[in-house]
């Protein structure tokens, strides 16, 4: 995935730290989108684990001003159970690299 090639500013400088999950016939790729020092978590889908992937136009997790992940969200890890998608990620508290573990979940049918 190359953000500059597909025209998405939030991943202009690339993508890294992938996590792949298969639900039914669809492969879901969760990844860190990079733009300069900014880090967000993106999502893409494909019918093959090797792609090509269709990238969602907006990131699914972004930094929250004044919160534990205010300097960046990166390195997703994901599981699906109990009818929910569970995602853990590194949240950068400050730009000097202090990181904590963030968690997000949502209802997600298989």
């Amino acid at each position: 995935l190359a953000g500059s090639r597909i025209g998405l500013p939030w991943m202009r400088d690339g993508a890294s730290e992938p996590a792949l999950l298969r639900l039914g016939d669809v492969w879901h790729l969760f990844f860190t989108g990079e733009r300069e020092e900014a880090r967000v978590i993106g999502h893409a889908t494909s019918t093959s684990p090797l792609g090509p992937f269709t990238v969602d136009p907006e990131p699914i997790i972004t930094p929250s001003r004044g919160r534990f992940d205010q300097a960046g969200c990166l390195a997703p890890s994901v599981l699906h159970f109990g009818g929910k998608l569970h995602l853990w990620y590194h949240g950068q508290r400050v730009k000097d690299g202090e990181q904590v573990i963030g968690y997000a979940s949502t209802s997600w049918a298989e």
Side-chain angles (χ1 to χ4, degrees):
L1 299 173
S4 59
R5 189 175 58 203
I6 58 178
L8 296 174
W10 57 271
M11 56 181 285
R12 179 188 69 206
D13 298 330
S16 60
E17 304 156 338
L20 192 59
L21 176 69
R22 182 179 181 189
L23 295 175
D25 293 333
V26 179
W27 290 88
H28 296 267
L29 180 66
F30 299 85
F31 59 91
T32 301
E34 303 172 4
R35 179 180 179 179
E36 297 173 3
E37 303 222 355
R39 300 290 183 266
V40 297
I41 296 177
H43 172 255
T45 56
S46 178
T47 55
S48 165
L50 303 177
F53 283 89
T54 301
V55 180
D56 292 354
E58 298 295 328
I60 60 169
I61 298 180
T62 59
S64 303
R65 175 177 256 148
R67 303 279 316 248
F68 72 93
D69 61 0
Q70 68 184 3
C73 303
L74 58 150
S77 178
V78 63
L79 292 173
H80 181 266
F81 62 90
K84 286 189 169 190
L85 185 76
H86 303 268
L87 191 142
W88 293 264
Y89 64 97
H90 289 264
Q92 288 184 310
R93 187 183 308 265
V94 292
K95 295 224 183 246
D96 66 7
E98 180 184 357
Q99 296 185 16
V100 296
I101 296 173
Y103 169 78
S105 69
T106 189
S107 295
W108 197 295
E110 187 167 331

